[in-house]
Amino acid sequence: MQTLADGLRLQMDALDYVLLALYFITVLGVGLAARRSIRNSVDFFLSGRSLPAWVTGLAFISANLGALEILGMAANGAKYGIMTVHYYWIGAVPAMVFLGIVMMPFYYGSKVRSVPEYMRRRFNRPAHLLNALSFALAQVLIAGVNLYALALIMQALLGWPLWTAIVLGAAIVLAYITLGGLSSAIYNEVLQFFVIIAGLLPIAIIGLVKVGGFSGLFDAVRQTKLGDAGLHAWQGTAGSDNPLGASWWGIVFGLGFVLSFGYWTTNFAEVQRGLSARNMSAARRTPIIAAYPKLVIPFVTVIPGLVALVTVKGLGANSGDLQYNNAIPLLMREFLPNGVLGIAVTGLLASFMAGMAANVSGFNTVFTYDIWQEYVAKDHPDGYYLKVGRLITVVGVVVGIGTAFIAAGYSNIMDYIQALFSLFNAPLFAAFIIGMFWKRMSAWAGFWGLLCGTVAALIVYVGYKWFGWFTFGSDLDESFWGAGIAFVVVAIVTVIVTPLTRPKPDAELDGLVYGVGRHDLRADAIAGDTAWYRSPVLLGSVALLLAVLFYLPVL
């Protein structure tokens, strides 16, 4: 077993710095180029609804490849073993396919500009305001996670204090988002997708070579505290005797349904990429195209986490350089030669910038359209809201700098961010999905359900972390149960409140509820959209089949 000395300082040379500088120049250049296409607020916030499916699809997955995906999933790979793949094959792909096939027609067809706007039209203004405020809060908190992860790499690269690295990373993202809006974010996300993969692949490949391939890796994992259980996805899930400390029920219902569908189908930072597509067909294919790379991302996240587990002596400390969060930087420091090291550092920085850019672009859109325009300053010229959007981008980044220090208090940022999803996404998804398929659900049922579900998730989290009221197998197990409880509470409150309140008439629900009005899925089709191989149903079915097949070797 190799031993890594404490300290994350990467030994970069001139070639590494040149590669890094070229990337930053390109990112800012994309922002300047995108600025020329910004003529109104729709261009700034939704790219003028003009982008092809392959661009929005790659941007969709790249927006997710932030700190949660790279540092968080590698940390989970080291901490929980192969069970981490649940976050991909049951915890992402089914929801992404559902979004494309079932829900995107409601979003895109109704021409809403955001998820909270859909909540206003389906329910009422109180539900809309609650959703808008909770989403804005969630985005600046998650942006802080990405900023913190970015700062970790900058700190390792240059040896700078954490706060200096956080401010510098925030300034770079702020520059290109303020210049070019969503178009700048999306085109940079397409670039960043390829840079991320190019940066992470060498870590996985060289790491596997060092430990003797997959067989050598698996043999070494069996000798760690995870044991053989760390090499199986479903073994031991009849109870909680497994590395994740979660039962199949928590994994399937809490993660695979509530958390997963809550994140992928109602998180505007992701949905926004689909809304920027040029037509309905492209919008529906956006998350489904993204599902294909999502299937194989574990190779560059979970596998390096396992490599770190068997090569980094003492990994898993509560503080210092040997925290699980540092698995990837430690491997980079040990295994990568110069030149390749520069590509890997660039890939990591790209991933964190893509994640933060998604948070910031979602935040500025919702704040401007759903809070400022709706409740503070109505009926102003379009140019006014464009200025507000640019200004609030600055505010969002500044607040994100503050929330980065909250993320710094967690040794595993995945635990923290999953707690955020259980608080904000799970109750929203419950209200959303019930309201989309149950016409009778009233506006006030939507508001009270969303509020009570959020409070229930908060009580579970605070009771577990602060007061010891509840016991779970792990922090992630708490997020599964918290999400599930929030969903159930929303459903119960909805069933109780709906009969006591008046439903909306069908005329107000046209195109917003399943079975009330119809969206013509081919009305805006262009040449090639009707080809059989572009069918969202076919593409989605193949992605689901692959997810099942990928499980077979690690059952």
Side-chain angles (χ1 to χ4, degrees):
M1 177 182 292
Q2 299 184 33
T3 301
L4 299 184
D6 277 0
L8 292 173
R9 185 68 180 269
L10 304 178
Q11 301 303 313
M12 303 274 284
D13 67 7
L15 176 59
D16 298 317
Y17 282 106
V18 168
L19 291 171
L20 194 58
L22 286 174
Y23 170 71
F24 285 130
I25 292 170
T26 303
V27 164
L28 294 176
V30 170
L32 287 169
R35 182 181 177 88
R36 300 188 193 128
S37 65
I38 305 299
R39 297 177 297 276
N40 53 50
S41 64
V42 174
D43 290 337
F44 185 78
F45 294 118
L46 291 173
S47 298
R49 299 184 189 267
S50 62
L51 302 179
W54 73 269
V55 170
T56 55
L58 289 180
F60 189 99
I61 190 62
S62 183
N64 177 249
L65 287 176
L68 168 65
E69 193 77 11
I70 308 306
L71 291 192
M73 287 300 182
N76 272 4
K79 186 176 182 180
Y80 303 113
I82 289 294
M83 294 189 80
T84 306
V85 300
H86 289 312
Y87 281 93
Y88 299 87
W89 301 337
I90 194 173
V93 172
M96 296 165 80
V97 172
F98 183 82
L99 171 61
I101 294 175
V102 178
M103 295 183 69
M104 195 56 78
F106 291 95
Y107 283 133
Y108 198 87
S110 61
K111 297 301 180 184
V112 295
R113 298 169 298 183
S114 68
V115 171
E117 184 177 345
Y118 180 93
M119 293 292 286
R120 175 178 61 79
R121 293 173 60 179
R122 172 59 184 91
F123 298 117
N124 55 20
R125 286 166 63 85
H128 168 256
L129 181 59
L130 176 60
N131 179 211
L133 290 174
S134 65
F135 174 82
L137 175 61
Q139 291 313 293
V140 293
L141 288 172
I142 298 171
V145 176
N146 281 298
L147 253 186
Y148 169 62
L150 174 62
L152 280 179
I153 302 304
M154 297 294 285
Q155 187 181 42
L157 170 64
L158 301 172
W160 290 358
L162 192 65
W163 70 269
T164 305
I166 287 174
V167 172
L168 177 63
I172 295 169
V173 174
L174 176 63
Y176 75 78
I177 293 294
T178 306
L179 285 171
L182 184 63
S183 292
S184 176
I186 285 180
Y187 281 114
N188 267 315
E189 283 161 2
V190 173
L191 167 67
Q192 286 159 346
F193 172 78
F194 294 104
V195 173
I196 291 165
I197 298 303
L200 293 179
L201 264 179
I203 301 174
I205 294 172
I206 296 175
L208 279 173
V209 170
K210 294 286 186 180
V211 298
F214 282 104
S215 61
L217 174 62
F218 292 170
D219 287 341
V221 170
R222 291 187 181 97
Q223 306 306 313
T224 68
K225 58 185 177 181
L226 287 179
D228 186 67
L231 302 175
H232 299 280
W234 292 103
Q235 191 177 88
T237 57
S240 58
D241 185 20
N242 56 70
L244 198 57
S247 68
W248 70 268
W249 171 250
I251 294 169
V252 173
F253 181 69
L255 171 63
F257 180 57
V258 181
L259 276 175
S260 171
F261 279 67
Y263 174 79
W264 292 103
T265 67
T266 64
N267 182 8
F268 182 58
E270 297 290 342
V271 173
Q272 187 179 26
R273 273 73 194 146
L275 294 182
S276 67
R278 62 187 176 190
N279 62 7
M280 176 68 80
S281 175
R284 296 182 74 201
R285 282 182 281 129
T286 292
I288 299 174
I289 289 172
Y292 284 86
K294 187 70 174 179
L295 284 165
V296 296
I297 291 297
F299 182 76
V300 294
T301 54
V302 181
I303 295 301
L306 290 174
V307 171
L309 173 68
V310 302
T311 58
V312 181
K313 186 177 181 179
L315 184 68
N318 290 325
S319 61
D321 296 326
L322 292 176
Q323 296 178 72
Y324 285 119
N325 287 335
N326 293 331
I328 291 288
L330 286 166
L331 292 182
M332 290 167 54
R333 178 184 179 275
E334 181 70 5
F335 294 151
L336 299 187
N338 291 112
V340 177
L341 180 61
I343 295 172
V345 170
T346 303
L348 278 181
L349 296 185
S351 72
F352 306 142
M353 291 169 66
M356 185 182 177
N359 302 138
V360 172
S361 59
F363 169 79
N364 66 19
T365 303
V366 167
F367 185 92
T368 303
Y369 280 150
D370 294 290
I371 298 176
W372 195 262
Q373 184 180 30
E374 188 68 23
Y375 298 99
V376 179
K378 281 191 171 184
D379 303 323
H380 283 257
D382 186 74
Y384 169 82
Y385 298 111
L386 181 58
K387 291 178 182 178
V388 170
R390 286 199 162 105
L391 177 62
I392 202 61
T393 300
V394 178
V395 173
V397 170
V398 171
V399 175
I401 291 173
T403 61
F405 291 96
I406 298 177
Y410 288 77
S411 63
N412 186 339
I413 53 179
M414 170 61 86
D415 294 342
Y416 171 56
I417 208 162
Q418 288 299 318
L420 294 179
F421 290 156
S422 70
L423 285 172
F424 296 112
N425 291 82
L428 171 61
F429 170 66
F432 200 101
I433 201 68
I434 296 171
M436 179 174 285
F437 289 96
W438 187 25
K439 182 180 70 171
R440 175 65 179 83
M441 181 179 176
S442 68
W444 283 108
F447 169 74
W448 286 111
L450 180 59
L451 179 61
C452 292
T454 303
V455 171
L458 181 61
I459 290 173
V460 172
Y461 178 76
V462 172
Y464 166 69
K465 293 292 287 186
W466 295 354
F467 298 109
W469 295 341
F470 313 110
T471 302
F472 298 99
S474 66
D475 288 352
L476 289 184
D477 190 38
E478 182 282 324
S479 67
F480 298 164
W481 280 99
I485 290 169
F487 187 95
V488 171
V489 168
V490 172
I492 292 172
V493 171
T494 294
V495 170
I496 293 173
V497 174
T498 291
L500 304 177
T501 50
R502 181 180 302 174
K504 281 192 167 186
D506 284 6
E508 294 182 24
L509 299 177
D510 186 26
L512 300 173
V513 177
Y514 190 80
V516 182
R518 290 181 60 86
H519 297 295
D520 188 344
L521 302 181
R522 298 186 177 184
D524 56 357
I526 60 176
D529 280 348
T530 57
W532 65 269
Y533 54 84
R534 290 189 176 180
S535 164
V537 174
L538 175 63
L539 291 171
S541 299
V542 173
L544 291 174
L545 176 62
L546 289 174
V548 173
L549 293 176
F550 282 13
Y551 264 124
L552 296 181
V554 293
L555 287 176

